[in-house]
Every structure is written in C-alpha cells, then in structure tokens.
Amino acid sequence: MPHHRPAEPDIQRYYTEVFDEADRLHRTPQGRLEARRTRDLLARLLPAPPATVLDVGGGTGAYAGWLASAGHRVHLVDLVPAHVAAARAAYPEVTATVGDARALPLPDDSVDATLLLGPLYHLTGRADRVTALREAARLTRPGGPVVAAVISRNAALIDLTAQGRVDERSRPLLLGAYATGVNDPETGFTTAYFHRPEQVVAEFTAAGLPAPTVYGVEGPLWPLLNTLDTGSEDRLFADAVACAEAFERDPAVLGASSHLLAVAPA
C-alpha cells in the first residue's frame, strides 16, 4: 500500500465540521445547474454502461450513485472518511474507500474511466495536481477517458459579488485568489486552487496525457439563477442549460463558468 501524505487538515475540517457536501448539488439553483450539466457531459464522455468507473474525490456519491443506477460498476475514493461512510450508506451498489488521489492502491489499467471531480481544486501545488492526473492515467485502460473538474479562476469573485458579499475585508482576499489561483480560507471556502483553462491543459500534458478537451460546465448565467432563486422547472433554468451547451467549447466564454471539465484519453 503506498504511503499517503497527511490529508490537508483544513479540507478535512471543512467537509467534516463546516460544510455538508451531501446536499450541495440540489440546495441551490447554481448547484442544480452544475449537477445537470456535469451529468449531461459525463453521459457523452464516458463509455456506454456497463463500464468500470473510478470516482476519485467522489464525495458523498452524488455522481457515483447516478452512474451506478445507469448500469456502471463504480468505485468511489475520497479523502474524507465521513464522505465515504455517507456514500456507502446511500449507495450500497457503489464500493467506497478512503484514499488520496496522489497515491491509490489499485493496479495499472484496472478501470475503463476515471473521474477527478474534486481533487484538482483541493491540491494547491501544481506538482500534486500533476501527480493526481498521472495516477488517474495509470489506472485507466489505454484509450479510456480521464475526466477532471476544476473551479474557474473567475468563479469566486463572480459568486461573492453576485451574493453582495464583497467588502473591504474580502475584496483583497478575492483579488489575491484571482491573481494567484490559491484561495485563502478566510473567504469562507476551504483551501483550494482555481484554474485558468490553459492551466488545465498544461497539467494534463505534464502528466503524460494528451491535451484535453475543456468544457465550460455552467455557462455564464449561473449567478443569475441564484439571484432569482430559479427552480429546476423554470424556463430560465432550461435556457441557462441551453446557453451553457451553446458556449461550452468557446474559449472566449469558458472562464465564465464556475467549473470547467477537461477530458483526455489515457
């Protein structure tokens, strides 16, 4: 079993004591848009079921459970023991273990597809992000997709501005994160790294993967949905999904999404 470096205490504390990940994707209009678009993209990018899918940083199982219900064989790995316990309880058809994206005790070429829908934005060091991508490539059978999510460099400033939460104290922190990519937990979010689209491409290639295709997940209208408290059945929600789809590969609009999804074959 590989040696695991200690988990970042701030991330463990945030997801154990501060933030409930289990309802994040359906608590707000923005979360529902992220979930809808991520599922739409995964349905296009993953092999047809039944495939063996490794969900690294899979949290409490929001995507793992959905993929298992579609007929995939899913193994979830997460850094936070409480997440793994919740995933096991909610989705008995999913296997789940505690682990670190940088060193996974699984054999080479053992899965058909690997998801990293979280680790890259909780690893603030570039070398660690490249290591996680290299691990994903090692575990994925040749030609199988490696799919990684990152938070857009612009998202925090857009989000907190739309919420009316930018003030004299938070503005320098948000501008600092915009300049460096590294979030200060004083903003209310945990230790995190925010990517520019070209950085995701560079990290994939540094890990030995081909240059990925990068998709904007939410498109530019996500702050509006929260401001208006848009329901999933409202026309504006459907229109925001359609807008995100129209712009999803447009390099001029990519960074306006809150999350980016990058995919390349192992």
Side-chain angles (χ1 to χ4, degrees):
M1 185 123 172
H3 172 69
H4 294 312
R5 278 167 282 187
E8 299 233 22
D10 179 55
I11 294 168
Q12 290 273 18
R13 185 192 65 82
Y14 181 77
Y15 284 109
T16 306
E17 300 171 19
V18 179
F19 186 79
D20 181 7
E21 176 67 15
D23 68 347
R24 182 179 72 83
L25 293 173
H26 51 80
R27 185 173 61 240
T28 65
Q30 173 192 339
R32 292 189 288 269
L33 177 64
E34 178 192 339
R36 164 67 189 276
R37 283 281 297 147
T38 301
R39 287 171 179 157
D40 287 354
L41 285 163
L42 291 177
R44 274 191 261 159
L45 299 172
L46 292 179
T52 303
V53 180
L54 178 63
D55 185 7
V56 184
T60 56
Y63 295 115
W66 170 73
L67 289 166
S69 69
H72 292 294
R73 297 177 296 273
V74 187
H75 180 63
L76 179 148
V77 178
D78 198 89
L79 194 63
V80 181
H83 285 175
V84 172
R88 284 176 177 160
Y91 307 106
E93 67 279 23
V94 172
T95 58
T97 53
V98 176
D100 186 319
R102 296 167 292 188
L104 293 166
L106 296 166
D108 294 1
D109 303 339
S110 55
V111 299
D112 298 314
T114 299
L115 307 180
L116 290 165
L117 303 184
L120 296 193
Y121 46 82
H122 290 313
L123 293 168
T124 53
R126 185 180 189 271
D128 283 336
R129 296 193 297 274
V130 171
T131 297
L133 284 165
R134 195 174 284 124
E135 267 292 81
R138 176 184 72 78
L139 297 168
T140 309
R141 293 188 184 105
V146 172
V147 184
V150 298
I151 297 175
S152 168
R153 178 68 65 91
N154 312 306
L157 188 56
I158 292 172
D159 190 19
L160 294 185
T161 301
Q163 292 181 41
R165 288 173 54 198
V166 178
D167 55 26
E168 279 63 43
R169 192 186 71 81
S170 63
R171 190 183 308 278
L173 300 176
L174 291 163
L175 290 174
Y178 178 60
T180 66
V182 180
N183 182 59
D184 185 328
E186 289 294 312
T187 60
F189 187 47
T190 185
T191 303
Y193 188 80
F194 304 145
H195 282 75
R196 297 187 184 280
E198 61 273 16
Q199 290 178 294
V200 191
V201 175
E203 288 171 11
F204 264 71
T205 57
L209 286 155
T213 303
V214 182
Y215 298 86
V217 175
E218 297 91 347
L221 294 181
W222 58 276
L224 187 63
L225 299 191
N226 276 0
T227 302
L228 299 177
D229 195 25
T230 307
S232 298
E233 306 307 313
D234 292 350
R235 179 179 165 184
L236 179 60
F237 187 90
D239 288 347
V241 170
C243 187
E245 287 174 353
F247 291 148
E248 66 182 19
R249 298 277 307 280
D250 185 336
V253 190
L254 276 180
S257 283
S258 179
H259 293 80
L260 310 174
L261 205 66
V263 59

